[in-house]
Amino acid sequence: MLYLLLTAVLFAENLKDVDSSPIRVQEANKARQENWLIKAVHYMESNPETLEELMSKDYAVLEGDMILSSDRNAVGGIWPTKEIPYVISPELASRTDDFLSAMAMVSEHTCISFHKRTTETNYLLFKTGKGCASYVGFIGGEQPVFIAPPCMVGNIVHEILHALGFHHEHTRTDREKHITILSHNIMEGMERNFKKQQGKTFDLPYDITSIMHYGSGFFSANGLPTIVPKKDEKKMGQRVKMTPLDAERVGHLYHCDATDTETKQTERKRSEAEEEQDSNIHTEIHSVKVSYPSTTSSRNQGHTASTSASLHHLNTATRG
């Protein structure tokens, strides 16, 4: 387990200046062990997106939660549809509300929608994992999104955006203007997770508060920050909501603006057609002239009055 590993490492590094008395050594060791165990558990709860890489040996993981596909050409591809099918594994059924909330957050301000899978070949499968993790972009077939107990709604949104094709914001090539990477605080062997990557930015500004940005303590070896903002920004690494720039990136990648325009044009044409049809019907009604003898007219007027009275009585009895 990760917390045992961290505890063992940190515990071993802090046995130097302990009193040689066996009793005091035992007491000091116990206190340190409890202290580092608490810190390790806190790390797991605070940084669940790093756990898949730290704890999994089944497949290659980059930057904590990005699973590397064996087909390198598949990484980063966009889905062929804006309507994404999904399945929630039975073992995660109790967290259905969290998944629905996460998908709603993505679809609320974008053209992406989600629906339960029926017979679709390509779909997202939310399943239990050691941490929060996802492939990046469309890979085809059953595409797993791994969710562990510490992964909250915001973490799930983060992984869904990975699945849609988005990388971490902190790896942008223009990050030096906004953040500083403190390499000496990074866990040994995890430095690669902070390397800059080439990727589409759509000429949008760097978003330090993006839901896709690392927090300050990701992969920290000593509890100290691995990333610090150039300007004071307490929301760096937040997992509460998508920012307007997050939504705008989805819009660019999936051409949401074009979709919105087409939808509006279709709705406008439908409205115009309906108005024209109503106008034609109205014209036809007024163009019809019916002549009745005066006695027939009087009889019809009486019948109309009787019918109106009956309808009034029926409406009163049934409340409409």
Side-chain angles (χ1 to χ4, degrees), residues 44-156:
M44 293 175 67
E45 293 176 344
S46 302
N47 305 287
E49 291 160 18
T50 66
L51 302 184
E52 197 73 36
E53 180 175 0
L54 291 172
M55 300 176 69
S56 179
K57 296 181 180 179
D58 299 332
Y59 36 76
V61 182
L62 180 64
E63 296 172 26
D65 66 335
M66 292 164 45
I67 302 171
L68 301 180
S69 173
S70 57
D71 179 7
R72 297 294 297 176
N73 293 325
V75 177
I78 67 171
W79 284 68
T81 176
K82 299 178 181 68
E83 300 173 353
I84 314 296
Y86 72 87
V87 171
I88 299 174
S89 295
E91 66 270 17
L92 291 174
S94 62
R95 300 200 58 190
T96 296
D97 287 347
D98 288 341
F99 293 115
L100 295 179
S101 295
M103 289 184 282
M105 189 183 298
V106 175
S107 62
E108 183 178 6
H109 300 295
T110 72
C111 61
I112 301 297
S113 64
F114 303 87
H115 63 273
K116 286 185 179 181
R117 180 210 179 208
T118 52
T119 60
E120 293 89 348
T121 302
N122 306 313
Y123 61 96
L124 293 178
L125 172 64
F126 295 104
K127 61 185 299 184
T128 300
K130 298 180 179 68
C132 326
S134 172
Y135 289 90
V136 178
F138 174 75
I139 64 172
E142 179 184 280
Q143 182 164 333
V145 177
F146 296 97
I147 302 298
C151 305
M152 298 294 100
V153 172
N155 303 121
I156 299 171

Side-chain angles (χ1 to χ4, degrees), residues 29-292:
N29 287 352
K30 183 178 180 180
R32 282 186 169 85
Q33 187 175 19
E34 291 176 351
N35 183 41
W36 287 112
L37 180 58
I38 291 172
K39 289 185 177 180
V41 171
H42 175 71
Y43 176 89
M44 293 175 67
E45 293 176 344
S46 302
N47 305 287
E49 291 160 18
T50 66
L51 302 184
E52 197 73 36
E53 180 175 0
L54 291 172
M55 300 176 69
S56 179
K57 296 181 180 179
D58 299 332
Y59 36 76
V61 182
L62 180 64
E63 296 172 26
D65 66 335
M66 292 164 45
I67 302 171
L68 301 180
S69 173
S70 57
D71 179 7
R72 297 294 297 176
N73 293 325
V75 177
I78 67 171
W79 284 68
T81 176
K82 299 178 181 68
E83 300 173 353
I84 314 296
Y86 72 87
V87 171
I88 299 174
S89 295
E91 66 270 17
L92 291 174
S94 62
R95 300 200 58 190
T96 296
D97 287 347
D98 288 341
F99 293 115
L100 295 179
S101 295
M103 289 184 282
M105 189 183 298
V106 175
S107 62
E108 183 178 6
H109 300 295
T110 72
C111 61
I112 301 297
S113 64
F114 303 87
H115 63 273
K116 286 185 179 181
R117 180 210 179 208
T118 52
T119 60
E120 293 89 348
T121 302
N122 306 313
Y123 61 96
L124 293 178
L125 172 64
F126 295 104
K127 61 185 299 184
T128 300
K130 298 180 179 68
C132 326
S134 172
Y135 289 90
V136 178
F138 174 75
I139 64 172
E142 179 184 280
Q143 182 164 333
V145 177
F146 296 97
I147 302 298
C151 305
M152 298 294 100
V153 172
N155 303 121
I156 299 171
V157 172
H158 181 100
E159 300 311 329
I160 290 174
L161 291 179
H162 274 320
L164 290 177
F166 294 93
H167 291 263
H168 289 129
E169 187 75 355
H170 78 280
T171 61
R172 281 179 50 153
T173 55
D174 59 347
R175 70 183 184 192
E176 276 80 7
K177 300 176 183 178
H178 310 277
I179 61 172
T180 300
I181 306 297
L182 302 180
S183 302
H184 55 281
N185 291 332
I186 298 174
M187 293 178 184
E188 185 178 355
M190 298 297 158
E191 297 83 0
R192 63 174 187 162
N193 295 330
F194 296 82
K195 290 183 178 179
K196 291 184 287 186
Q197 307 286 348
Q198 295 291 336
K200 292 181 180 180
T201 63
F202 304 104
D203 293 324
L204 294 174
Y206 187 94
D207 187 5
I208 199 169
T209 63
S210 168
I211 203 167
M212 300 305 291
H213 202 291
Y214 263 13
S216 62
F218 277 46
F219 292 106
S220 174
N222 50 22
L224 298 177
T226 53
I227 300 178
V228 293
K230 292 291 182 70
K231 297 180 180 180
D232 184 32
E233 182 50 74
K234 296 179 180 179
K235 293 182 179 180
M236 184 182 76
Q238 63 85 20
R239 294 295 182 266
V240 178
K241 63 180 181 179
M242 289 176 61
T243 66
L245 284 172
D246 286 330
E248 197 168 346
R249 287 186 187 90
V250 176
H252 280 289
L253 187 61
Y254 283 87
H255 308 290
C256 289
D257 292 340
T259 301
D260 290 344
T261 300
E262 292 171 1
T263 300
K264 290 177 182 178
Q265 289 176 344
T266 301
E267 291 176 349
R268 186 175 64 253
K269 289 179 180 179
R270 184 185 298 116
S271 177
E272 290 173 352
E274 290 174 351
E275 288 179 0
E276 184 178 355
Q277 184 179 12
D278 290 343
S279 178
N280 291 338
I281 293 173
H282 184 72
T283 301
E284 289 174 2
I285 291 174
H286 282 274
S287 65
V288 175
K289 296 181 180 179
V290 182
S291 299
Y292 295 100

